[in-house]
Amino acid sequence: MVTIIMPVYNGEKYIQEAINSIINQTYSNWELVIVDDGSTDNTASIIKKFDDSRIKYVYQKNQGPSAARNKGIGLAEGNYIAFIDADDMYVKDKLEKQVAYLEETPAVDIVYNDIKVIDESSRVLYTLKSEGIYQNREDFLSVLLFRQIIPLPPSILAKKKCFEKIRFNTKYVHGEDYDLTIRLAQENKYGYLKESLYLYRRHENNLTNDHNKQLQAEIKVVKNLGYEKIEEIVNASHFKEKQKQFLLGKIYTKIEEYERAKSTFYQLYEKGLRHSLLLFYLGNCHYLLNELDEAKQLYKEAINQEERPEFYNNVGCVYGIKGELEKANSFFYKALKRKKGYMDANYNIEQLKKSQPKFKITVRELRETLTHYNIN
């Protein structure tokens, strides 16, 4: 049996659709544990209209979604645990395919999948796919420290044993999913099901609500591991030595340790490595340390090798800071020409209209599919 855990707080607008997507699953051996985290709207009355013994309703005083999910985990009776947010939906065969995957691949403990992003009217906007496929736990975990590989952590299905000792960290208001993913990856093997099985709803109240706070939370999650643990995780991966060192530098960049990152990258540079992404990351380190001439030179060297939109955007930022606004504008438009919908470049073009512009470089290489969020 699968236990599906749904935390909800004032979710009257979408919760009926979310519950119906569970009831309509092709896999019927499930229980739905809904933990109402102190709702003051009509959430409870909507839930109680469903006449299905598999649906269990629990109320608690408002403690946040992590505490609500932990409550659900404690009540779970299934062999597997899944999650859903009260404004999202499952594709009708999500559970059937995920359970089959885990039963057919016993070495895997947790399965994740692609997702479709939908709007308030349930229209599909775009698909988010995995940020890489890794065959062993060590490689998955090491890359995870740099960037969330799983398109949406609530879409996972996990064996119940994965949660015997691990729960959501209630100290995190943002980044709790990322923290959980990393801690689970230290003990368990993830598998990837290359299908979109979860519908994630984007609306006014959740546009990665406060993107900057989310990023800062992710930095805190990784930093809390400590440098020794970060290096231990990366060194345990199966990548080649230069790849390990490059990844380590990228992780240092992510957690805003720019001097440490720069030193790590220059060790590769001095060994003759000159690929475009190394030049890009070195440029970023110089830029973020206010060494603009060095940054500009490295970005231009990167562009000579590969005309990626983030390279153009970042050199545009250098020109912008130096007051060469026409040059900056041309580079931002070159970035947009190569990646439609590139938010940093659009944002920077708008900044050029202001008396005191604040430019935004892209610190990490762009994802294949760009997400959308509140940039300010």
Side-chain angles (χ1 to χ4, degrees):
M1 182 171 73
V2 176
T3 296
I4 306 155
I5 297 163
M6 179 191 292
V8 59
Y9 174 73
N10 289 349
E12 64 180 6
K13 188 172 183 180
Y14 299 113
I15 194 168
Q16 185 166 319
E17 288 181 85
I19 295 172
N20 279 329
S21 79
I22 305 299
I23 291 173
N24 293 330
Q25 287 293 294
T26 55
Y27 182 91
S28 60
N29 189 16
W30 53 261
E31 63 171 357
L32 174 60
V33 179
I34 304 175
V35 182
D36 186 342
D37 191 39
S39 295
T40 56
D41 63 357
N42 293 318
T43 293
S45 60
I46 293 170
I47 296 167
K48 291 172 182 177
K49 288 178 182 178
F50 285 90
D51 184 20
D52 192 316
S53 61
R54 296 172 296 177
I55 299 174
K56 301 176 181 179
Y57 172 77
V58 180
Y59 181 88
Q60 67 177 26
K61 291 183 179 180
N62 183 257
Q63 299 172 49
S66 291
R69 292 188 185 104
N70 288 342
K71 179 78 170 179
I73 292 168
L75 296 170
E77 296 181 4
N79 309 98
Y80 301 104
I81 290 180
F83 300 94
I84 185 172
D85 288 342
D87 46 2
D88 297 340
M89 291 186 285
Y90 280 0
V91 174
K92 66 179 181 178
D93 54 357
K94 174 186 185 289
L95 294 180
E96 180 183 355
K97 289 183 174 178
Q98 287 185 319
V99 170
Y101 181 94
L102 288 182
E103 290 182 348
E104 291 165 7
T105 50
V108 172
D109 305 298
I110 306 166
V111 60
Y112 67 97
N113 48 261
D114 300 334
I115 67 163
K116 289 187 183 298
V117 179
I118 60 175
D119 65 11
E120 294 182 359
S121 302
S122 301
R123 292 173 297 204
V124 175
L125 301 175
Y126 52 89
T127 299
L128 288 179
K129 298 182 180 181
S130 174
E131 285 289 313
I133 302 169
Y134 302 93
Q135 299 303 319
N136 58 70
R137 185 184 62 80
E138 293 82 7
D139 293 357
F140 180 94
L141 175 59
S142 62
V143 176
L144 191 61
L145 299 190
F146 171 65
R147 176 171 268 171
Q148 175 61 279
I149 298 167
I150 301 175
L152 193 72
S155 73
I156 66 169
L157 181 73
K159 295 175 181 176
K160 188 177 182 180
K161 73 176 184 68
C162 298
F163 292 96
E164 287 175 357
K165 298 178 182 178
I166 294 175
R167 294 289 190 274
F168 286 88
N169 189 335
T170 56
K171 293 180 180 179
Y172 289 115
V173 177
H174 299 272
E176 72 280 4
D177 288 340
Y178 184 56
D179 171 71
L180 182 82
T181 306
I182 289 173
R183 288 188 289 118
L184 286 173
Q186 292 182 61
E187 305 291 338
N188 303 281
K189 181 174 173 59
Y190 282 80
Y192 171 48
L193 190 54
K194 194 177 181 181
E195 292 188 59
S196 297
L197 300 174
Y198 190 99
L199 303 176
Y200 171 62
R201 194 184 304 274
R202 303 304 298 266
H203 52 83
E204 188 175 323
N205 294 329
N206 80 346
L207 270 179
T208 315
N209 279 331
D210 208 318
H211 182 66
N212 287 332
K213 287 182 180 178
Q214 177 72 20
L215 290 178
Q216 289 304 311
E218 290 189 9
I219 290 167
K220 186 177 180 181
V221 166
V222 178
K223 269 191 171 180
N224 282 347
L225 292 170
Y227 299 131
E228 187 176 335
K229 185 63 176 179
I230 291 169
E231 291 173 15
E232 177 189 318
I233 288 170
V234 172
N235 287 330
S237 70
H238 297 79
F239 302 124
K240 295 178 180 178
E241 288 306 312
K242 287 182 180 179
Q243 291 175 309
K244 289 180 183 180
Q245 190 168 346
F246 184 49
L247 176 57
L248 191 59
K250 289 167 67 174
I251 294 168
Y252 288 145
T253 304
K254 173 194 173 85
I255 63 174
E256 299 180 345
E257 294 292 342
Y258 304 125
E259 286 287 4
R260 189 180 287 264
K262 186 171 76 169
S263 174
T264 303
F265 290 135
Y266 266 118
Q267 289 174 39
L268 292 170
Y269 188 88
E270 288 163 5
K271 292 175 183 176
L273 206 63
R274 295 288 192 278
H275 66 71
S276 61
L277 280 176
L278 176 64
L279 298 170
F280 165 74
Y281 276 101
L282 266 174
N284 286 347
C285 291
H286 282 291
Y287 181 96
L288 293 162
L289 291 167
N290 201 32
E291 299 161 354
L292 298 182
D293 290 333
E294 294 89 341
K296 182 175 71 172
Q297 180 61 35
L298 287 159
Y299 291 146
K300 287 192 170 184
E301 285 182 39
I303 289 170
N304 286 338
Q305 287 191 33
E306 188 178 7
E307 296 187 22
R308 292 176 64 119
E310 58 266 51
F311 301 173
Y312 279 105
N313 176 76
N314 289 10
V315 76
C317 290
V318 175
Y319 280 119
I321 290 176
K322 286 178 169 288
E324 299 180 59
L325 302 188
E326 287 188 13
K327 282 187 178 180
N329 191 58
S330 69
F331 277 95
F332 296 145
Y333 273 104
K334 286 176 182 177
L336 281 172
K337 184 178 179 181
R338 286 158 180 82
K339 195 73 172 182
K340 186 179 179 182
Y342 181 9
M343 292 184 68
D344 291 351
N346 274 319
Y347 171 84
N348 288 328
I349 287 170
E350 290 302 310
Q351 289 298 304
L352 289 170
K353 301 173 185 177
K354 299 183 178 182
S355 58
Q356 294 183 314
K358 294 181 180 179
F359 299 104
K360 187 178 191 314
I361 67 163
T362 300
V363 180
R364 294 180 285 181
E365 68 263 36
L366 291 176
R367 297 175 184 268
E368 182 179 339
T369 302
L370 298 183
T371 55
H372 301 274
Y373 50 84
N374 294 326
I375 200 167
N376 292 321

